[in-house]
């Protein structure tokens, strides 16, 4: 459908309304800066060592308590040592005539060392 000419000059188009402007952008909201890191030991070397010692003592105490609790439930632990005597060990020790492993190596060392 063609446009109608309403008597206005064709060289000049009708004024357009200005586009609605958006409000200027707000400044970005920044998060507060992070809190500074705090050291747990107070910063002293001796405090750190003391803390480590205390922690080790607490761990040892807890371990001892746990062992006692297990012993109370399961019964005490017993260790039995058994010795087996063989016939070779019962033989007299006079069979060593200075030819054990140490004397062989000692003699070889003395042979290569100049006096």
């Amino acid at each position: 459908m063609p446009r109608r000419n309403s008597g206005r000059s064709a060289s000049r188009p009708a004024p357009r309304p200005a586009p609605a402007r958006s409000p200027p952008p707000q400044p970005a909201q920044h998060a507060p800066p992070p809190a500074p890191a705090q050291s747990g030991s107070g910063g002293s070397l001796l405090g750190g060592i003391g803390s480590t010692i205390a922690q080790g003592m607490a761990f040892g105490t807890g371990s001892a308590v746990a062992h006692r609790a297990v012993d109370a439930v399961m019964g005490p632990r017993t260790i039995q040592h058994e010795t087996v005597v063989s016939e070779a060990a019962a033989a007299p020790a006079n069979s060593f005539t200075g030819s054990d492993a140490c004397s062989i190596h000692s003699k070889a060392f003395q042979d290569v060392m100049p006096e």
Side-chain angles (χ1 to χ4, degrees), residues 15-63:
R16 291 187 180 181
R21 288 188 182 182
S22 60
Q26 297 290 330
Q29 297 290 332
H30 295 289
Q38 297 178 3
S39 62
S41 65
S44 70
L45 180 64
L46 190 57
I49 292 172
S51 173
T52 303
I53 290 171
Q55 184 179 9
M57 291 175 69
F59 180 75
T61 302
S63 178

Side-chain angles (χ1 to χ4, degrees), residues 61-86:
T61 302
S63 178
V65 169
H67 278 99
R68 296 290 274 193
V70 169
D71 287 346
V73 172
M74 302 294 289
R77 289 169 275 171
T78 57
I79 300 173
Q80 295 178 353
H81 295 282
E82 296 180 6
T83 56
V84 177
V85 179
S86 66

